[in-house]
Each structure stands twice: as C-alpha cells, then as structure tokens.
Amino acid sequence: MEKVAGWYPAWHVALLYWTWLFLFTFCFTGAEITCRSCRSQVHPQQQPQRGLLMHLRTDRGENEQTRFFGEKGGERGREAGTEDAGLRATLAPAPAGTFSGWETRRVMKEKVTREHRPRAAADPAEDRPLRGQSPRPGRPGSVRRRRGRSPRGSAGPGPGGAAGREPGDGGAARFGLEELRLGSTTFALAGDSAHNQAMVHWSGHNSSVILILTKLYDYNLGSITESSLWRSTDYGTTYEKLNDKVGLKTILSYLYVCPTNKRKIMLLTDPEVESSLLISSDEGATYQKYRLNFYIHSLLFHPKQEDWILAYSQDQKLFSSVEFGRRWLLLHEGVAPNRFYWSMMGNGREPDLVHLEAKTMDGHAQYITCKMQNCSEATRSKPFPGYIDHNSLIVQGDYVFVQLTSGGRPHYYVSYRRNTFAQMKLPKYSLPKDMHVISTDENQVFAAVQEWNQNDTYNLYISDTRGIYFTLALENVKSSQGLEGNVMIDLYEVAGIKGMFLANKKIDSQVKTFITYNKGRDWSLLQAPHTDLRGNPIHCLLPYCSLHLHLKVSDNPYTSGNIASRDTAPSIIVASGNVGTELSDNDISMFVTSDAGNTWRQIFEEEHSVLYLDQGGVLVAMKHTSLPIRHLWLSFDEGRSWSKYSFTSLPLFVDGVLGEPGEETLIMTVFGHFSHRSEWQLVKIDYKSIFDRRCAEEDYRPWQLHSQGEACIMGAKRIYRKRKSEKKCMQGKYAGGMTSEPCVCTEADFDCDYGYERHSNGQCLPAFWYNPSSLSKDCSLGQSYLNSTGYRKVVSNNCTDGVRERYTAKPQQCPGKAPQGLRIITADGKLTAEQGHNVTFLVQLEEGDLQRSLIQVDFGDGIAVSYANLSSTEDGIKHIYQNVGIFRVTMLVENSLGSDSAVLYLHVTCPLEHVHLSLPFVTTKNKEINATAVLWPSQVGTLTYVWWFGNNTEPLITLEGSITFTFSVEGMNTITVQVSAGSTILQDTKTVAVYEKFQSLRLSFSPNLDDYNPDIPEWRRDISKVVKRALVEATGVSSKHVLVAVLPGLPTSAELFILPYQDAAGIKKRTSADLEQISESLIQKLNQNLVHFELKPGVRILVHAAHLTAAPLVDLTPSHSGSAMLMLLSVVFVGLAVFVIYKFKRKIPGLNIYAQMQNEKDQEMVSPVSQRESIPNVPQSELMSHEQLVDEKLEVHPIEQPQATVQNPRKGNATKVVWTEDFQKACGSPRGFKPRPGVEVFPQLLSPRAQKKSLPM
C-alpha cells in the first residue's frame, strides 16, 4: 500500500483516503446467491441434477425472507461451482437429533434488507485492501462432511503491502502490479430485470450448451409469478429466449438434468398454476409437455439407468417412472420425506430395488424394500424386524442404518451388504444422545456421536468393516446448530488424499484445528506460516500457538465456503482462518498449502472467493465484497504469486461464479448486474487465451505425500505427479497420477480394537468395563473365534509384514463354558403383550454355548417347551397367550459345565374399548350408593382406576372397579372414573342428583311408539324432551320439578321424577305435600289421556301412568304423622310382596328410581352394539323396586367436597348384579362386580338388548 501511494502527491493521497472512507461508510449491498435445492455434499447417491439457483437482491425496499431447500451430491471431490451437482428438492429438514447423517435436509433461511445505492465511485478501488472492515462470517453449512469446494474467505486486511515480495513455502505471497486483460463477453438477459432468482445448467463435457431459468418470486404471495428460459449454444457468448417453445403462459419452477445423460432435461411447472412436466432429449432445444395428476415435491434419478426416476409428492406418495417421467406408477403411500433410496450395492445387483421408510396404519415407521414396478403387499420385504424410529432410515452403499428408541435411549442398527441387522457397538458408557453418519467410504463407517455429557460437541468414532464395533477417533469436535435446527460438525475430509481429515476440537473453552493423515489414528495441530503477508516473521510456537481454520463449506455452488480442495489437485488446500491460540472470527486471513497441510502460506488479508481452474493448475481469486468490481487475481504457481486481471470494462455487482464442468475447465461465467435495476449480466471469461501451449511431460515433477517428514502414510508411500510451479502451461485433461509402494507395518498402522483404550504410553489396554476373556455369543464348542490382541489395523491401510503378525487377532478354538449372564427379553423390548398375538422372546447369554445347551422355557400359563440347540431360537421363541393376566416366564439354560436361569414378568392384556360408569342417577342425602366401572371387554388385564368427585383436585386411586360413597350436600354432583390399561386411558362421567325427598313414576306409551324406536341414546334423549314438554303443557307444573328419562329397551317406557326445586338462595320452593300434590296432578292428567304428543304427521302418541303415585323414599321430618306411618307400613308390605314374587319368578310392574341433570340431558347406559339391531321385549316386572335400592347398608368414610363418603369395596355389603348366561359367556363377569347379600341393583338399567347380546352399556 505504501509503495503504491508513494507515486501520488500528498494532496492526492489525502483525497484518495477520504474517498475510500466515504465508500465504506455507504457501502453497497451485494447480491446474495444461494442454492434453491442443492443436495448435501455428503449424500451417498448421485441425484437428479437441477439448475442451481441464485437469488438477486432488487431495490424494492422491502425485507425479504427466502427459504432454499435441498442438498448437493455428486461424485467425490467434485468442485462446487464448477459442475452441476445431483439435486433433490425438498420442503422440510429432518428433525434435529435424529439419526440422519447423510440424509439430513438443509434449510437455509436468510433475511435480506435491500438498499438502492448509486453505482458511482465503485470503479477504481475495488481491489484495494479494506483495512478495519469487519469480517463477514462464512455462510453456515449443515453437511456432515465437507469436501472439495471453492473457498470463500472472510473479510479482513488485504495484500496491499506485500506487492513484489518473494515468497517461499510458509512465506509471503507476491502480487503483480501490472493490470492484464482477460478475454470476455457480456450478455444481458433483456426483459428479466424484475426477476430475482436464476437456475443454471451447464452441461460441460465438451458440450457448449448452457440453460438458464430466471424467475420472479413474489415474497408477499409466496409463489413464482413470472419465468423465462434461456439457452446458449456457444459456451455463454449469446443466449436465446425459449418462452415460446415451452408456452408463453407457462410458469416454470424447477430445472432438472439427468445425471447420466446431460442431454435429457426436465422442467417442472409451478404447481400453483398447473402440474406438468416438460421433457427434452436434445439439451433443451425442444420440449414435450406431460400432465401430472400429483404435485412433485422431490425427484431422485437412478445412478445408472438414465430413464429411471423416483418422484415424491406433496401428499407423501412415492411414484416411479421408467420412461423419464412420461408415465408414472404409484409405488407406495405414507413414505417419509427424503427416506427413499435406489439400491446402491457395490456389486450392482437388483438395480430396480427401492429402499423406503413408510408409515403404517397405526402411525409407526417401517423399513420396506420392493421393486420399482411392483410394490404390492405380497412383494414387499421388511428387512428390519419390527418398527423403527421416524426419519431414521439411511441407505449408503453397502450399509443400511436404522434407529430404534426403547427405554428412553436410542439404539442404532446396521446391515452390511444387506445381511441381518446388528446393533452398533459403541463404548459401553458412551450413552449416545445423537448420531450422524459422516462417511462410509472404503468399507468403513465414520460417525459423529453426541454422548450423554455433551451439548455443543461430538465425538468421532470409526468402525470395523461391518460397521458394528466402533472405536474413538477424536473427542469434543465442535458443532453448531443451523437456523432450522440442523447440526453442523466442524469436520472436513480433504479431497484427493485418502484418510486425511481436518477437525476443530474444543479444548476447555478454546477451539483448535487438528489434522490427521491416517483416518483419525493420530491428530496434530497445524503449523502456522513462518511469515505474514508482508514478510514479517510470525512467532508462533506449537503447541501454544498454531494455525486454525474455518471448516464450513458453502452449500451454494455460486459462492465459496471457507475451505476447498480438489481430487485433481491433491496437495492444494485453500482456507480462511487465523493464527493464534484458538480459532477466532476476528482478524481472518486466507491461507494456502501446496504440500497437503505440512506448511501454509498467507495469501490474502481480505475476503476472497477462490476457484480451481485447469485441474487446479490455476487458482482464481475474486474479492467477496458488496462493491461492484471488474478485477480478479490469478495464480499459476499454487498461490505463491498472484497477477491482477480485468474481466469487464464496467464494474459489476457479482452475484455468483460458475466454472465449466468436465475436463477442460478453462471457461468461467460470472453472474451479476450493473445496478440493482438492471438485467442479469452474464460475463463469459475464457482463460485459454492466457496460455500459449499445452503442458508436456517435462513440465511435470513427482511429489511425495508426507506428514512432517514421515513418508509412510496409511501403510504406503504415495508419489503424485504435479505440474512444476514455474511452468505456465495448460494441463487440459487431468494429467495427474499417483504411484504407491507399500510400507512395512509398524505400531502406527494399528488402532485400538473395540473395548480397548490407548494410554499415555501408547499401548492399547482393556477399558474398565470390557472383559477381554469374554467370548462371542456366536462362538460354539468345536469352532474358532478371533482372539483380539487389543489392536486392529486401520481400514484401507496397505502395510505389509513388520509387526502385522504380532498385532493381528489370532484364531482360537472356542472352549466350553458354563452359561452365565442369561437374559430373556421380548423382541420389541416391552413387558406387555396383547392377548391372542404372538410374543417373541429373545435369549441373550454373555458367556456359554447356546448351541450345545439345553434351553427350557416355562411361559407361566401352563405351557413349557424345551430346545436342544440354538437353531430353533435364532429368530426368537414365539408364544401366544390365550388369557389376560401377569405371567411369570422362566428360562433355564444348562450344559455339562453348569446352568443359569432368568425370569421375566409379562403383562398380557387385551385392548380396552369401552368404559361405562354405573350408579344411581338420583339418591337421597347421606345415603350410601355404589359406583361400578363396567368394562368392555370385561377381562382386560392389569387395570388402575382413578376416581374424581366433583371439583376435588386429588383423586382416589384403586385397583378395584367398584366403590361406595355417600353425599351429604343436596344438589347435582359429578363422578368421573378413568380406567388405565397399559397405554390406553378411557373415562366416563356421570351426574348424581342428591335430594332429601323425591318421587318417581313409571310411564308407558302407545304401542305404536315401539315401531319408531331405534333404541339409540339420541332418540331417547329427544323423546324425553318431548314428553317433558307435553307434561308441563298439560299440567302447568314448572319444568324445574320434572325430569323425564326414556329407558333403553322395548316396550318403550320412561321414568318420571318429581323433584324439589331450590332457588339460588337455597330456599325450598315446595314441601312434601307440594310434591304429592304435583304427583296427583300429573297422574290425573295421565289417566285422563291428556298427555300426548305428535311423533310425526298422523302418528299420535299417548302417555300413560304405569303405576300409582310413589311415596317418598325417605321421610326425614321429625314428626311422624299417622298418614306417614301408614305409608311407611305400606312400603314395607309392598317390599315383602315384591320379594316373594321375585323368588317365585313372578313378573309384576314396580316402581324404580331414575334421575336426570337439570340441563335436561338424561344419563343412561349406552350399549355398544349396532344401533339397528332389533331389541327383544323385557317385562317391566323384571325391574327392581325402589325399596330394594333404599335398603342397601354399606360401611362408609368421609372424603372432601363434594361431601361424599367412599367405602372400600372389600369391606361390608355391596350390590349384587345378576347377569344373563349369554352375557357371561361372551364377556365374562363384569369387572368390579361382586355378589353382595340381600340386594340387586338396577337391573332395569341394563337394556334387554345388552342382556341378550352380552354387551355392557
């Protein structure tokens, strides 16, 4: 900076300073570019390539909130921004904390404030250092693993003072002062100035076709209102608008490209207007339109068959097509979002097999496989027994992962090469809360696990080949939470070098960057550069000071992240970070290494996007700024020196950069706009003009990979072919290569085996919880097993000889052992089972040989079985219980050396379907009554009853279904019973009217009413209202004194209650004489046939009194008049007569008690049988008299308000209910009813239909 400024007079320097100050105070807002539906970098399958979406800020002045969904996939090491990635659109991310790994859905949410700024004063200063500018943080990423992508650094001081300095490895970079010109052309998408989104497809691979879909997304409406389709056939020099070929009124929403045939293009229309597909087979030159009968949510192309597609609809249905979307077949309904996969077995078998997670009818999730053209119930396969957790299925290459939570803990299962699922074994006390699969490359699983004592960090674990046994690779790796709850782990896999990772580890409160070259076996800090950008020495001594890097990778191919590497440039890594004691968001610079992380150089002190061109032979750096620019920097020597080039004559607000895919990666397109109101400007830059020749053999040199001087990495010496840094020639097709020579095995090539931990002396010793002498449960006498030495060779390590024999597990004969550690569990881990259903018991034995042991099982229901070997119990021991109850399941395993036993208590239940609370509807004050919960079915299993009285806050909990209680306060009182049966809780509520006196009268009706009686509660309730209204109209009695309840069954009858009425002050309106007078008036009108109603036109129903007036049930007045005594004696004689008649099975009419709430809703027993079944007649003489109810004598104790007394049903007398023989055969005796001497309760409330059909009401 000082050197350049020295060329101007002092006043010119001052003017320039104030000009810069003004610009930074009123800086421009650059266009944000984000991917509409890019797949995660870590997705295992190649996905449909869809045009990559940019978002352009306009100057409308409103705040916009944008959601972009999806993940980016594609081949390993593919550069973001240089090639279309495989895409799957999605509308929702997976819930955080699920076992989602590769399949975690991204949601990037941004709130953008737009400002219109003048385009003046933006030209001359776009590449000057911006000292003091606050750094712009890297865009958060949500992928599990970050791979080679173009980096975007963070703002900070720039290279100004370093111009002309000579760098070396670990030294400063040098910058040329001469401005050079790149060959470029600019094309404006005329008429699309209002469009704020663009999706681009660049075929590449020797194709000159580029497709661009621009859209106007209305953030207020939440939909696309306009779209334009553009096509170029000359690498982006000119474009043709194709709206007339797709339909002038057609609004396009997405652009997809077949990943295996880039000539096949698919356009999706906006579903809010129409649901259609436009298909092209000639790279977008012509299109055919096909209507859809569903709305596409996401697409998944087959990795090898170009015409095979899976489509996921917005209503969770999965469709398949073998004709590139021209015809669709419904595959399955209720499929979980983004949980469907093509079979990706390495041997390529069953290419038409689809793996999916589907929801069952009862809401559970299940793993299903089926053929893409036939997914019927008969052809489906369920590889995992039982249900799985929602959104947990992952299919990745040879591995399938599922999660199952039981006992509040998640358990993870893996299937290797589609074999039987096995539980993944982590260290015993890791107790994982969350797990994410990072990688399954090279026949090994790399996973991040959040353990029980971690909140913002994860531990890295690495598995054996089968993915079952995991050992710790690195502790406390930094993680962060995305805006939508997605987990981001600071781990980056370097492209092009097998086994090389970078990770940010949290140590106390500091975050430091570590590097490994052998898949996590050893980790070390990064050595900081020796000098800064100006050549000043950096005093940074390990381990107190080191280089720390930001490891976030951009999910947007138009913008770069914080770090990048390429398969075609295996030694070059570009990243943003800082030097110091810990990772910081301040003072961020950009660094490069050309020897795979051994030494680093500082290249910029300001935020730049860096892209790889010419297979990594050229690095392109473009400043990431809100100002318009027209320059960029090029380096031909791996970032040691940089030259300044102009790519446009007018400054451009850069929205994004996209490089040409394929082998000839020397063309780059810059997307931007000259002002916030201008059209999209597409600047094509061709770098071929800066090369005068192609590279020859003499332009390359060998380079050996090493780790701080150690050449043997992953058991081999690897030598790469690199272009000499001083040679400025074009590589074109990737000319790099690697030769490998195996090394002699040393202890460094072995990691600790499962159950072993590395101590400070470097030895792997057993963990405190692990018993090395324990044998595998699969080990049988006469067979052999691998006896671990405590070490296992790192997977993919190629070393030979040396200490390999010493550290390799040795085969050993399985000795006989007595059974120990026997456990018996159910297959689903539950201690409950349903009556009549299969229960599967699993046998687990810590030590011993099940195949040579005798297994005896007693199921506790009188049935016992024996097994002579394990072959009969590999899939579990199945049994069906015919009865409900608690059963003691015992198991004995014995051999010639000893025995062991285990016990399991199993609760067998049947589903509880209906609960009915049976109790009187009207009772007298301080009179004991009985309440019984009648269940259907009657035998359910272990039950708990919770009784609530009135407004009491504390319930009464019993194991019996019957209680007794008394009420000491008059009025309406509610009783609720809740019955708990396993996970099912049902309840019923009834209201009891409590009075000192009341009278009841049985009513009958004209016989023709029975012809219209469907015997359902609603009909009885309506007829009760009609009868009550007719009684009030005929007698003039206040409706407050009258309650009518039509009873179940035929012939149709009803109960009339004459009740005392109280005003708000509690003063009684009527005396006992008044009630008698009202009763006499009602009976008189009924006997005179003056009470009637019209059921329907022409159908007149008369209401009759079935009996004379009823005496009060209890007379509590202090004086006893002669008439009262006479009435009491009459009641006694009537009661005796009824008792004698009942004993001789005589049928006579009688009086009974019934009550109804004051809101005119009757309380009745409801039969669950069909409403249309015919109901037999029952003589009213079967119904008990009210004297029998009154004479119940029960032991009582008081409870809180409402003042009722509850009696233990085990004590004293209780009610007896007589049930028909048919009822008992069908349902068993109703639960809670026990015979009590001397009384029969409410047989009239059990409808004749219920008695005959054996169902409770």
Side-chain angles (χ1 to χ4, degrees), residues 919-920 923 927-931 963-967 992 1192 1194:
L919 76 166
T923 186
K927 190 68 177 179
E928 297 173 351
I929 62 173
N930 176 274
I963 62 172
T964 58
F965 53 90
T966 61
F967 289 101
V992 179
E1192 289 184 330
L1194 301 174

Side-chain angles (χ1 to χ4, degrees), residues 1-9 13:
M1 174 71 81
E2 295 81 8
K3 191 172 183 179
V4 176
W7 294 351
Y8 296 92
V13 175

Side-chain angles (χ1 to χ4, degrees), residues 1138-1155:
V1138 170
F1139 177 79
V1140 172
I1141 294 171
Y1142 178 81
K1143 286 296 184 178
F1144 286 93
K1145 306 298 182 181
R1146 300 284 300 274
K1147 312 294 184 180
I1148 64 171
L1151 297 176
N1152 59 80
I1153 303 173
Y1154 205 78

